[in-house]
Amino acid sequence: SGKYGEFVNARVDSCYADPWIIAQAKVNKLKLITQEKHSASPNTKNCKIPNICEDSSIDVQCLDLWELAVERGWTFHVR
């Protein structure tokens, strides 16, 4: 989508994987796990992975590590 051009091209001069990770998750119908938090910035160049994933035109489920643990039913025991 042209809407996120600034996000995609934000760091073309360095290794920047976020757009490609989101694309792989969408194409392969995968959930994306990240510890990034939503950005309140209206500038799409400053978007975070959760902002992009929740866009209805992208529609990728995005979880943080805690949400993944709950979804999978993981339990942790302290010794």
Side-chain angles (χ1 to χ4, degrees):
S1 164
K3 179 178 177 180
Y4 296 107
E6 288 185 22
F7 173 78
V8 171
N9 297 314
R11 297 178 185 92
V12 293
D13 60 330
S14 64
C15 184
Y16 184 58
D18 290 3
W20 315 116
I21 291 170
I22 295 167
Q24 285 294 314
K26 179 162 180 69
V27 168
N28 294 298
K29 298 177 176 42
L30 301 171
K31 294 176 184 174
L32 207 150
I33 312 304
T34 182
Q35 287 302 110
E36 285 189 358
K37 301 297 180 204
H38 281 85
S39 169
S41 173
N43 184 344
T44 57
K45 185 178 180 179
N46 299 325
C47 281
K48 299 294 185 185
I49 290 173
N51 295 86
I52 306 297
C53 289
E54 75 179 7
D55 186 299
S56 62
S57 67
I58 306 297
D59 194 31
V60 169
Q61 187 175 0
C62 186
L63 306 170
D64 64 24
L65 193 54
W66 180 255
E67 291 167 325
L68 175 66
V70 169
E71 178 183 277
R72 298 292 177 151
W74 296 347
T75 57
F76 301 92
H77 303 280
V78 178
R79 293 183 192 209

